[in-house]
Amino acid sequence: MKIGKWILMFLLVVAPVFSFGSTTYAKDPTKETTAYVDVSVLTVWVEPNIARDVDLPSLTNPVDPWKWTKNMTYEEKLWLVGKLETQALYGMKVHILEEQGDWVKIAVVGQPTPREEAGYPGWVPKEQLIQSKKFQQLERRPFATVTAPTAFLYSNQGLTKEFMEVS
């Protein structure tokens, strides 16, 4: 099963770093809006509305990445190659470049590419983003680095009410 986990890690984390085509993205900086990732892991798609029924756990708020990856067959995982751009984590800043129905085209801040200096471009469900001054204020605060594959955030100081599992 270790090979299966490696393949999944490659598909979801490493493979999206490589360019899968020559698509270019134009942006109008006057229409740029800042938002923040409001789910534990945001999957950034090359196009809106291309996700399949099996991908539903990755499209909601909250997301369920464990259910998403465990329910896919090998062939369904392979289908993702070239369909995903990258992933972003809870609280990361994004710029909204365009809206199309329930989907928004974003650039992930801190992930510049030759195609988009502002950050990795791609499409995400609008409900997975939040426009909140809370996240903007947290950008200047100290942060922790988690060395485990995942960790829980808690909604109380006593660390008894789990809020979200993050990568």
Side-chain angles (χ1 to χ4, degrees):
M1 201 61 176
K2 286 185 179 185
I3 292 176
K5 287 181 182 179
W6 181 87
I7 290 171
L8 178 61
M9 181 63 78
F10 179 81
L11 289 173
L12 295 178
V13 178
V14 179
V17 173
F18 300 101
S19 177
F20 291 103
S22 59
T23 306
T24 57
Y25 296 88
K27 116 181 141 159
D28 180 355
T30 62
K31 294 185 178 182
E32 186 175 277
T33 302
T34 299
Y36 296 87
V37 176
D38 192 39
V39 292
S40 59
V41 59
L42 177 77
T43 301
V44 182
W45 300 81
V46 297
E47 296 175 38
N49 299 309
I50 62 169
R52 309 151 298 169
D53 287 342
V54 71
D55 301 316
L56 185 60
S58 74
L59 302 172
T60 54
N61 188 350
V63 297
D64 190 343
W66 295 115
K67 181 178 179 182
W68 182 40
T69 55
K70 287 181 181 183
N71 284 342
M72 277 192 278
T73 66
Y74 176 76
E75 290 76 19
E76 289 169 330
K77 291 173 186 174
L78 281 179
W79 180 90
L80 294 169
V81 176
K83 307 286 190 304
L84 305 181
E85 287 286 358
T86 189
Q87 291 183 312
L89 302 177
Y90 181 68
M92 290 180 74
K93 184 191 293 188
V94 301
H95 294 298
I96 298 174
L97 306 175
E98 184 180 331
E99 292 189 32
Q100 192 177 98
D102 293 335
W103 288 78
V104 291
K105 184 176 181 182
I106 63 165
V108 181
V109 175
Q111 294 186 19
T113 72
R115 293 184 297 167
E116 182 61 62
E117 191 174 311
Y120 238 111
W123 292 89
V124 301
K126 190 184 301 186
E127 73 172 307
Q128 295 183 334
L129 300 177
I130 188 169
Q131 291 175 302
S132 169
K133 292 186 187 249
K134 174 181 82 170
F135 283 105
Q136 185 178 13
Q137 292 166 350
L138 292 174
E139 288 179 5
R140 295 178 197 88
R141 304 230 10 224
F143 62 91
T145 301
V146 178
T147 58
T150 65
F152 278 94
L153 299 180
Y154 294 84
S155 60
N156 67 337
Q157 288 186 343
L159 304 178
T160 58
K161 295 182 182 176
E162 291 178 347
F163 165 63
M164 178 187 300
E165 185 178 19
V166 294
S167 296

